[in-house]
Structure formats: structure tokens, C-alpha cells
Amino acid sequence: MAAQLQAYHIPGATVSVVKDGELFFAKGYGYADFEKRIPVTADQTLFRPGSVSKLFTWTAVMQLVEQGQLDLNADVNAYLDFQIPATYPQPVTLAHLLTHTPGFENRNEGLFVRQAEDILPLRKYLGDYLPARIYPPGQVTAYSNYGTALAGYIVERVSGMAYEQYVEEYIFKPLEMNHSTFRRPLPPGLAENLAVGYSYANGAYQPQAEWVQPAPAGGLSSTATDMARFMIAHLQEGRYGDGVRILQESTAREMHRRQFTNDPRVNGWAYGFMEAELNGQRIIWHGGATYFFHSALVLLPEQNVGLFVSFNAIGGSVARQAFITAFLDHYYPVSRPPFPHPPADFEQRVGRYTGTYLETRHNQTGVEKLLALQSVVSVEAASNGALQITGIGFAWPESEISQWVEVEPFVFRKVEGDGSLIFLQDEQGNVTGLIDKNDPQVLYVKQAWYETASFHLPLLLGFGLWTNILCHIRIWWPSI
């Protein structure tokens, strides 16, 4: 951990590990407040685990499902006081929200604010930032913060309690998570223990303020030891300690099994948990990324082991995955087979794979569409008979560049590290998309030449230039 904090310019981190229903290890590293030299302590310092918060929303939904108050297959409009537009004949259901398949476009506008006082009530946020539906529900995964916020609002509507209060009453209290809250600003007694988030530039740490607006999607503040209690409950199929349950055993099992995948050859979504297979272990997990906090909660159900880690700086985007890899290599090492040489005829076939691929999680109707044009995966031929791919990986905000070798038609293995890619094809054998085997959040759709940034951006620049010329002409010849 000391090496990670130094290498990735991170002031502090917190870790907890659980095994066989008990806390196995918990420790804080570095500083919660770098300027004041306040150290991180695992049982007192609150971190912001970002989208790991969603697991509490999905747990709350499943509690209400087992009580008969929610139906996973019902139109969500039945629970709302506003309408999700009927863009497609099929309605959006809670099952779609739980597997990130409602078909919403991505919309980052309004997701973060600088001050807690600027946070909108959940109902107003949902109304003001309603995204377009761009896929039929249940067709493809397109990770959706809005979908989780919508589910949290449904919890409010059905339970008659504010989301923050519901989670306190039915998850935090039973699990004795006394140092956790979704309230913003944080209540007295917790606020003074909240870690500061940092950026790093020119050899110095800069404290930063940020808040995720929709609490159900990313508003949790918690300690490593409190997160350990939540992990124990899920690993024990809803049970914590003697006589305490947050889910029935059958509900927990249903929540943890695969519910959707973009392709049978790759991992998919359980209800709220992502699947992965690393070092021969089936993992269900969830990452969390705000601008300045980066976290992960990882469960190994067959080993009855759970791992939580959170970092309080931008460098944590890389560190969290490096930490998970190191943990698995230490406790569950595998001897990887020798890497195969590229097929002799690959150069003749490489053209079918090369091009640009747009992830399904993108904006299609607003100004953020311009960002989507630039946030694509680029697949090129490498000189050594491999594919060079830019944009797939955990090195946010920088794009990771990696190389992949074909091991069978349409299947590639990563040259350095553990990873597989599956290229999708149509009935004629034309490549239509690609999927990272261990990342079910999105699939990447191959773009035609007229859909790429290299085609659209010059047009946009040209249009802007022509508009500017016309404006100047109108100044001199107003009648035009």
C-alpha cells in the first residue's frame, strides 16, 4: 500500500477484508487530511465509495421485492408520479434497472455539484435530467446512474420514507453500520471524520470538494469496517450474526446469480453486482469512481471472502485495479499458460477487426454527444502481429493502450495481464462489436466511417467556421 500511495500520488486509503463471516483485516493508510496530517483509520475515517453505493439501493429494492411491495417485471411507471416516455413498445422494469439494461443514454450533466447545499431533491433531479431512451429495454447493457437513482426514488415512493432514512432503518441499523450515511451534508459526529478528496499537480496535492447529486447512485459515505459488515451479510446470503437478516437466503442467491449478459461467452450482470472471473475465481463486485475517490467492493462467494478498498485521490483509478490484482495473485495465485504466437495468417485478416468502436454507454441527443465522439475505443494493427487497442482499461482519465493476440477466431487474449476480448459478428461474418469478458458494463459497437469522430469533427469545425463568416457578413450587409 505504501508503494501504491507513492506511485499513484494518493494521500490516503482504507482497506477491509472479510472471511468466513468475520472481519479478517482492516487498516487505514496515509492521510485523510493531508494538510492537517490526520491519518486514515479503518473504523473511523469515512470515504466516499461512489457507485459502490448502488449495492445498497439494489439491496433495498430486493428487500421490497421479497415483501411483495415491488414487482421486478412491472412497468416502473406504475410506481412513479411522473412518466418514463414510451419510446419503445416494451416498458422499463426494475429488472432492467438492476441489470443496467433499461436503454437510457448516458447523461453526466448534473451528476456532480461542488456544494452540498446545491444538491437537488431526488424527485426534481429525476425530472430535470431525464435521459432519452436509445435502446429497447433488455437488449444491451448501458450503465446508468439515472436508472439507479430512479430505483432509489421508487424505494421512497413504495416505503413512504426518504431514501436515506430507509437505508438507515433497514440496512445500516441491522448491520450496526454506525459510521455510514447517505445524508448530505453529513450529520454531526460523522462530518468531522470524512476524508478529503485530492487532485495532484505540479508536485502538490490540492483538496477538492464534490458531491454526487443522486444519493442512490453514489452518495454513500462509510468506513472500511462498516463496509465489511455489508460484505459479510451478502457473503452469508443475507445473514449477519445471530438472528439478523437483511435479505432472505433465496433472495440473496437470486441477487448474486447471473441475470443478463451481452453474450454467453462473457460475464454479465447479477442483480446490481458485476460478474468477473479472475485467477480462476468467480467474482461479483462493483467499482466506484467519483472525480477524487476511487473504490471497489469485491466478493468471492465460493471462498466466502470479501475485499473493500478506497483511495482519496484521482490516482486511485489505477491503484484500485492494481490492488485487486495483487490481492488475488497473493491469495489465489495461478500459473498462466505460455502466451501463444499470433496466427501466421493474421495479417490477412486483421482488417476485419480494426476501426473505432463506440461504447453503448454514451449520450446521443444532447451536447454531451460531442464527448462521445472522442471517447471511443480504437483498434489498430500492431507491428508484432497483435491488435493494439486504446481506450479499454481502468486508467481513467488517461486511456490505456494494450496489445491483444488472437487465440481463436474473434477471441483475443491480453499480452500483459489477465484479460480476454470477444469480437461480435453478424450472419455474414462482419465484425459488429467487441466485449471485454470481465467488464459487463458496456459493449462496444463498431462504427461506420461516417459515424466516427474523424468524419464528424471536421464537419462541426467547418460548420462553426461558416457560421462565423456569415455572422461577419451580416454585420456589413444586414439585409442578407
Side-chain angles (χ1 to χ4, degrees), residues 149-357:
L150 189 66
Y153 185 60
I154 290 172
V155 169
E156 286 193 349
R157 295 271 297 165
V158 171
S159 69
M161 305 169 68
Y163 172 83
E164 296 85 348
Q165 183 183 357
Y166 179 93
V167 174
E168 287 172 358
E169 189 70 27
Y170 294 105
I171 301 178
F172 291 164
K173 284 185 179 179
L175 298 182
E176 299 179 346
M177 296 177 63
N178 300 322
H179 296 86
S180 300
T181 185
F182 275 95
R183 297 183 184 272
R184 287 89 50 81
L186 274 64
L190 297 180
E192 56 267 31
N193 291 322
L194 180 64
V196 179
Y198 290 91
S199 59
Y200 181 84
N202 300 319
Y205 291 111
Q206 300 295 328
Q208 303 290 346
E210 60 170 351
W211 298 88
V212 178
Q213 277 223 78
L220 176 65
S221 299
S222 185
T223 64
T225 51
D226 271 14
M227 295 302 290
R229 296 170 183 269
F230 184 70
M231 290 192 291
I232 289 171
H234 269 281
L235 288 167
Q236 301 289 103
E237 297 181 330
R239 176 175 60 85
Y240 182 81
D242 295 328
V244 175
R245 277 199 168 273
I246 61 168
L247 292 170
Q248 296 301 314
E249 185 176 318
S250 59
T251 304
R253 287 181 177 177
E254 185 70 3
M255 191 173 177
H256 298 162
R257 76 174 182 87
R258 179 185 295 179
Q259 301 289 343
F260 182 87
T261 180
N262 289 299
D263 186 280
R265 296 170 292 177
V266 303
N267 289 293
W269 280 96
Y271 277 151
F273 286 92
M274 291 179 281
E275 284 189 311
E277 184 179 337
L278 297 172
N279 288 34
Q281 304 293 323
R282 179 182 182 259
I283 289 169
I284 55 173
W285 77 292
H286 209 294
T290 69
Y291 285 108
F292 308 110
F293 287 83
H294 295 268
S295 313
L297 183 150
V298 180
L299 303 182
L300 289 72
E302 295 176 4
Q303 303 294 340
N304 207 356
V305 167
L307 166 69
F308 173 76
V309 63
S310 187
F311 302 90
N312 66 341
I314 289 176
S317 62
V318 184
R320 69 172 184 181
Q321 193 63 24
F323 180 79
I324 294 169
T325 299
F327 180 89
L328 291 170
D329 286 346
H330 181 79
Y331 287 104
Y332 305 100
V334 291
S335 56
R336 293 181 174 86
F339 211 86
H341 294 289
D345 64 341
F346 182 69
E347 289 188 9
Q348 285 73 51
R349 294 180 291 104
V350 66
R352 67 167 57 175
Y353 301 112
T354 57
T356 58
Y357 295 74

Side-chain angles (χ1 to χ4, degrees), residues 60-72 94 98 251:
V61 167
M62 296 304 288
Q63 287 178 335
L64 295 171
V65 168
E66 70 180 17
Q67 295 168 21
Q69 297 188 61
L70 290 176
D71 181 346
L72 289 177
L94 279 166
L98 280 155
T251 304

Side-chain angles (χ1 to χ4, degrees), residues 372-413:
L373 288 173
Q374 296 177 295
S375 301
V376 295
V377 168
S378 174
V379 179
E380 302 171 304
S383 59
N384 58 355
L387 287 180
Q388 179 167 292
I389 301 182
T390 305
I392 288 183
F394 293 89
W396 184 90
E398 294 84 15
S399 294
E400 180 179 278
I401 299 176
S402 51
Q403 291 196 344
W404 304 74
V405 170
E406 186 183 48
V407 292
E408 58 183 273
F410 304 104
V411 180
F412 288 74
R413 277 177 52 195

